[in-house]
Amino acid sequence: MSSTVEDVGGVDAQDTQDTQDAPDAPDAPDEETPEASGRGHRRALLAAGLAVLLLVLGGAGMLFRAHQLRSTPAAGNRALTDTEATSQVTGDVSDTLGKVLSYTPQATDVTAQSARELLAGKAAKQYTALFGQVGKRAKEQKLTLTTQVVRAGVTRLTGSEARLLVFLDQTAQRKGRPAGVVAAQLSVTAELRGGNWLITDITAR
C-alpha cells in the first residue's frame, strides 16, 4: 500500500516538474486585419485634423487679442506709441522728484518753493504737511538729503494724465558722519498743466 502511494506520488511529481519546465509555446505572430488597418488610418486622420484645428484656433485667438487691444482703453495708452510725450513726462517727473526730495540745512526754503511750483493736488497737500517737520529737523541735525532718479517708466499716458513707476537713490548725510544711501520705489501720478507735468500723487511702494 505504501509502495503504491509512493509510485503515484512520484509520477505526479515528475509530471508536474515536466509541465513546469516545458518552454512556453511561441505566440503566433499577429496579423493586421483590414479592420485594424482602417482604425489606424482613421486615428492618423483625426490627429492631423486636431493639429489643424489647434493652428486655426491659435490664429483666431491672436486675431481676437489684437482686436481687444485696438478696441479697449489700452489702445488709448500713449505710453506705448507716443515717445515724445513719454520722454517729456519722464523728464519732468524725474526733475521734480530730484528737487522736492533734496534739501540742505541752509536752503530748505528753496526746496519748499520748488514743491509749491511743481506739486499739485494730493501730493502738494501731503508735502506741505510733512515738509515743515522735515525742514526743521534738517536744520537742527545738519542733515543733507540728495535724491537721484535711477530709472523712471511711464506705465500709462492718456490725455493729460500719466502714471509712472520710479526707482531712485537717496543719499543722506549728517555733518561729521558718513553718508548713507537708501533705494526707494515710488508710484507717481502726474497731470499736464500749462505745458508742464505736475506731480499730483506720490505713493511709496
Side-chain angles (χ1 to χ4, degrees), residues 164-166 184-187 203-205:
L164 301 89
L165 183 61
V166 182
Q185 182 178 347
L186 305 176
S187 291
T203 305
R205 296 175 62 90

Side-chain angles (χ1 to χ4, degrees), residues 30-94:
D30 294 333
E31 293 184 3
E32 187 175 6
T33 64
E35 182 181 355
S37 177
R39 285 198 301 268
H41 182 64
R42 286 194 296 272
R43 281 196 295 268
L45 289 177
L46 179 60
L50 287 175
V52 172
L53 179 61
L54 290 175
L55 289 174
V56 171
L57 289 177
M62 287 187 288
L63 290 174
F64 178 70
R65 180 58 179 163
H67 174 71
Q68 281 187 317
L69 291 176
R70 289 193 298 267
S71 59
T72 59
N77 188 357
R78 293 165 55 201
L80 305 175
T81 57
D82 194 335
T83 56
E84 183 177 353
T86 300
S87 178
Q88 182 187 356
V89 66
T90 301
D92 286 355
V93 168
S94 297

Side-chain angles (χ1 to χ4, degrees), residues 11 27 30 33-35 37 41 53 73 81 89 97 106 111 113 117 120 125 127 136 138 151 180 193:
V11 171
D27 295 334
D30 294 333
T33 64
E35 182 181 355
S37 177
H41 182 64
L53 179 61
T81 57
V89 66
L97 291 175
Q106 300 81 17
T111 301
Q113 179 62 32
E117 296 174 354
K125 294 178 182 179
Y127 193 91
K136 182 180 180 181
R151 182 178 300 176
R193 300 184 182 180

Side-chain angles (χ1 to χ4, degrees), residues 15 20 32 38 42 48 56 58 64 74 76 94 96-97 102 110 114-115 119 143 147 155 171 176 178 193-194 204:
D15 290 344
Q20 293 176 348
E32 187 175 6
R42 286 194 296 272
V56 171
F64 178 70
S94 297
T96 295
L97 291 175
S102 298
V110 174
S114 296
L119 301 181
L143 178 63
T147 298
T155 59
T171 303
R193 300 184 182 180

